[in-house]
């Protein structure tokens, strides 16, 4: 690829970032692209409005759930070394692993943890433990606190709990604390020289903080919480690094498990297995899941992706194997995901020439809404679904388990835990779009805004899926 083409990409990202940040109260944004041996990084705006520190090419940020691909890489490394078997029950290696329902944990295989098919109902479980025993405390707490949403392998539901259990499993089979293992087995061999695993390390260098819109002025204000508790490390609560570091990690997966420096990080077979479909719900709003990676189809082109929410910020890592491209980005308000989606779609369509077909091509009329009406629940979350003016209306309520859970979740959400009712229009039976959005909105990463309902029995859906997460009919 000629260098001029990537310079065009650099100019385009700079232009898009400046326009979006100015119009959307996003203080700062940083993005990078590696394509066919060439690489660029673009930084714009402010890393922290409280200090006025600029967002720089090498400003650090929280990886958020992008960490889940790293956790999965660590699990596959141990499988390569014979310390783990993906198709063995987790309790074989981690006997203390249990859930509130007797015997439920015994059915969960190692594979279920990293393919988001484990059914652990713990998506909003935030025990506030710190230090080297944090993951042990998390697993201990599951036994009395969290049940299951479905039988392992029966459904797909984005699982923070599964990844955290995977982190504790890694500690058990290696004898090494998760953070030390991440630094030794991923950061080091990949060449992620600016990455860390704690706020104490990150403060020693330039690091961005998240922001939320002020309820009165809508101006961006810094988050009051930098990281989630240490218990959430393997799911993305604490790891921090730069765009260049994420590009290096993406390039390692692009190259079949070999880092940019030539170090083999993961076997070619395990790298390939992470890309293969583990579960497909066959609905447009939930892309097929690999191991760690989410497989976003854009026509015939697959984008391996994972986004990562942190308090007031969002990261994104995308690998496009068919076109030798890696894209990484971070913006320090949650709305930055829309900018990341814009850039990804432009990279695919204009830079790579990948056709992006419409995800929704037709809308059915007179869809029966009655199978979806009812109350759906998951850990500390309730969704009440009714029919209003011919549309579905959803009311989402956060139901904290205790004061500690409420404090952590409220800080993570920027001080608010309630949302106004949301109306949805039918696309077809079981699939709905938020009212007022043009259908082309959902052609890219924002297809996650669609809501689907599954497993209709006796005229009633058993599950609702929003943002890749299941709630179960109460």
């Amino acid at each position: 690829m000629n260098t001029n083409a990537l310079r065009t990409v650099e100019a385009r990202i700079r232009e898009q970032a400046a326009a979006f940040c100015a119009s959307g109260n996003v203080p700062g944004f940083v993005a990078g692209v590696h394509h066919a041996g060439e690489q660029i990084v673009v930084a714009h705006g402010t890393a922290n409005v409280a200090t006025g520190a600029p967002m720089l090419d090498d400003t650090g940020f929280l990886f958020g759930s992008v960490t889940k691909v790293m956790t999965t890489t660590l699990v596959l490394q141990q499988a390569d070394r014979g310390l783990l078997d993906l198709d063995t029950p987790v309790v074989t290696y981690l006997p203390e692993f249990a859930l509130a329902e007797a015997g439920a944990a015994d059915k969960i295989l190692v594979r279920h943890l990293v393919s988001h098919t484990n059914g652990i109902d713990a998506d909003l479980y935030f025990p506030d433990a710190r230090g080297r025993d944090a993951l042990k405390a998390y697993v201990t707490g599951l036994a009395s606190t969290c049940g299951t949403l479905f039988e392992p392998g029966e459904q797909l539901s984005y699982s923070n709990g599964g990844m955290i259990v995977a982190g504790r499993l890694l500690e058990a089979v290696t004898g090494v604390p998760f953070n030390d293992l991440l630094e030794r087995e991923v950061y080091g061999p990949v060449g992620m020289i600016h990455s860390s695993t704690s706020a104490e390390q990150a403060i020693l260098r330039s690091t961005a903080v998240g922001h939320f819109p002020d309820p009165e002025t809508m101006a961006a204000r810094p988050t009051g919480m930098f990281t989630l508790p240490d218990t959430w490390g393997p799911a993305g609560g604490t790891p921090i690094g730069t765009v260049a570091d994420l590009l290096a990690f993406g390039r390692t997966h692009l190259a079949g498990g070999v880092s940019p420096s030539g170090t083999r990080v993961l076997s070619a077979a395990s790298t390939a297995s992470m890309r293969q479909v583990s579960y497909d719900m066959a609905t447009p709003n939930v892309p097929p899941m690999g191991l760690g990676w989410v497989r976003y189809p854009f026509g015939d082109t697959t984008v391996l992706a994972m986004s990562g929410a942190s308090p007031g910020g969002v990261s994104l890592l995308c690998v496009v194997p068919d076109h030798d491209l890696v894209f990484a980005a971070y913006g320090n308000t949650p709305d930055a995901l829309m900018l990341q989606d814009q850039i990804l779609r432009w990279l695919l369509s204009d830079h790579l020439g990948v056709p992006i077909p419409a995800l929704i091509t037709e809308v059915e009329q007179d869809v029966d809404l009655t199978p979806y009406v009812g109350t759906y629940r998951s850990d500390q979350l309730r969704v009440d679904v009714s029919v209003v003016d011919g549309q579905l209306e959803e009311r989402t309520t956060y139901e904290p388990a205790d004061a500690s859970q409420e404090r952590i979740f409220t800080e993570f959400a920027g001080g608010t835990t309630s949302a106004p009712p949301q109306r949805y229009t039918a696309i077809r039976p079981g699939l709905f779009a938020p009212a007022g959005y043009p259908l082309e909105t959902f052609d890219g990463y924002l297809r996650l805004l669609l809501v689907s309902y599954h497993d209709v029995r006796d005229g009633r859906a058993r599950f609702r899926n929003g943002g890749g997460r299941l709630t179960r009919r109460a």
Side-chain angles (χ1 to χ4, degrees):
M1 188 196 69
N2 70 65
T3 304
N4 288 338
L6 212 53
R7 293 291 161 256
T8 301
V9 170
E10 182 179 6
R12 174 68 178 187
I13 293 176
R14 197 175 300 281
E15 175 186 315
Q16 284 185 287
F20 190 92
C21 290
S23 63
N25 291 321
V26 177
F29 188 78
V30 58
V33 176
H34 181 91
H35 185 208
E38 301 283 341
Q39 185 164 303
I40 56 100
V41 176
V42 175
H44 175 83
T46 306
N48 183 344
V49 300
T51 65
M55 188 77 83
L56 304 172
D57 290 5
D58 63 349
T59 295
F61 52 85
L62 281 154
F63 291 153
S65 287
V66 173
T67 304
K68 291 181 171 71
V69 188
M70 300 174 195
T71 300
T72 304
T73 298
L74 288 169
V75 169
L76 271 289
Q77 283 178 342
Q78 306 318 310
D80 285 342
R81 295 166 187 172
L83 293 177
L84 280 177
D85 184 301
L86 297 185
D87 295 309
T88 294
V90 175
V91 293
T92 302
Y93 308 105
L94 196 62
E96 66 268 31
F97 172 46
L99 296 168
E101 299 160 22
D106 299 349
K107 306 173 188 177
I108 298 174
L109 307 181
V110 175
R111 182 182 302 278
H112 293 141
L113 298 179
V114 294
S115 62
H116 299 270
T117 56
N118 51 77
I120 299 170
D121 188 12
D123 210 47
L124 296 179
Y125 175 50
F126 296 102
D128 193 10
R130 302 188 181 277
R132 293 199 165 209
D133 289 331
L135 303 189
K136 184 177 181 180
Y138 182 96
V139 171
T140 299
L142 284 178
S144 60
T145 305
C146 298
T148 59
L149 282 167
F150 51 83
E151 289 290 306
E154 178 193 35
Q155 298 284 349
L156 171 68
S157 184
Y158 187 85
S159 176
N160 289 305
M163 283 293 171
I164 298 168
V165 173
R168 175 60 188 145
L169 171 65
L170 287 163
E171 293 183 334
V173 299
T174 65
V176 179
F178 176 81
N179 285 348
D180 294 348
L181 195 68
L182 182 63
E183 291 174 349
R184 187 183 79 188
E185 303 291 349
V186 173
Y187 289 177
V190 168
M192 300 170 69
I193 59 175
H194 297 299
S195 292
S196 60
T197 56
S198 70
E200 289 79 6
Q201 293 170 314
I203 201 172
L204 301 177
R205 58 183 315 284
S206 170
T207 305
V209 303
H211 298 75
F212 292 98
D214 185 279
E216 295 181 1
T217 66
M218 297 307 292
R221 56 176 175 80
T223 175
M225 167 193 276
F226 180 53
T227 69
L228 285 166
D230 291 354
T231 49
W232 269 53
T238 53
I240 299 157
T242 63
V243 156
D245 286 348
L246 281 190
L247 290 175
F249 180 74
R251 290 171 62 190
T252 300
H253 276 269
L254 195 64
V258 178
S259 77
S261 68
T263 303
R264 178 157 291 284
V265 178
L266 190 63
S267 72
S270 287
T271 308
S273 71
M274 287 178 64
R275 300 180 182 183
Q276 294 164 4
V277 176
S278 289
Y279 197 98
D280 186 355
M281 291 192 75
T283 183
N285 58 311
V286 185
M289 177 63 67
L291 298 178
W293 291 113
V294 183
R295 296 170 42 93
Y296 279 79
F298 289 86
D300 295 330
T301 297
T302 295
V303 175
L304 306 173
M306 182 58 76
S307 62
S310 53
V314 62
S315 64
L316 180 65
L317 176 63
C318 298
V319 174
V320 191
D322 292 347
H323 294 274
D324 194 22
L325 184 139
V326 183
F327 168 54
Y330 170 80
N332 56 5
T333 73
D335 284 348
L337 183 61
M338 291 186 284
L339 173 57
Q340 293 163 359
D341 179 60
Q342 285 179 19
I343 295 171
L344 174 61
R345 288 207 261 178
W346 182 87
L347 284 169
L348 291 171
S349 62
D350 290 54
H351 179 60
L352 298 177
V354 171
I356 301 180
L359 190 70
I360 309 298
T361 55
E362 57 183 341
V363 176
E364 294 187 27
Q365 304 297 319
D366 302 320
V367 172
D368 180 11
L369 304 182
T370 55
Y372 318 112
V373 172
T375 296
Y376 300 78
R377 276 198 159 97
S378 60
D379 177 51
Q380 302 178 71
L381 196 68
R382 170 178 171 153
V383 182
D384 292 296
V385 181
S386 59
V387 176
V388 179
D389 299 331
Q391 298 177 322
L392 286 188
E393 181 177 272
E394 295 189 348
R395 294 177 178 266
T396 301
T397 306
Y398 173 57
E399 300 177 323
D402 55 45
S404 174
Q405 299 285 289
E406 183 173 23
R407 174 183 58 79
I408 293 169
F409 180 72
T410 302
E411 290 181 3
F412 177 72
T416 178
T417 57
S418 61
Q422 175 67 58
R423 297 276 184 93
Y424 288 87
T425 58
I427 294 172
R428 63 180 189 231
L431 184 65
F432 297 83
Y437 284 77
L439 291 179
E440 58 267 24
T441 302
F442 313 115
D443 292 344
Y445 209 85
L446 297 183
R447 65 190 71 185
L448 290 175
L449 295 176
L450 299 169
V451 166
S452 57
Y453 291 83
H454 302 271
D455 196 4
V456 176
R457 301 182 186 181
D458 300 322
R460 287 155 46 108
R462 263 182 88 206
F463 296 102
R464 169 194 176 273
N465 194 305
R469 292 168 166 86
L470 287 184
T471 46
R472 185 177 60 197
R473 180 181 289 276

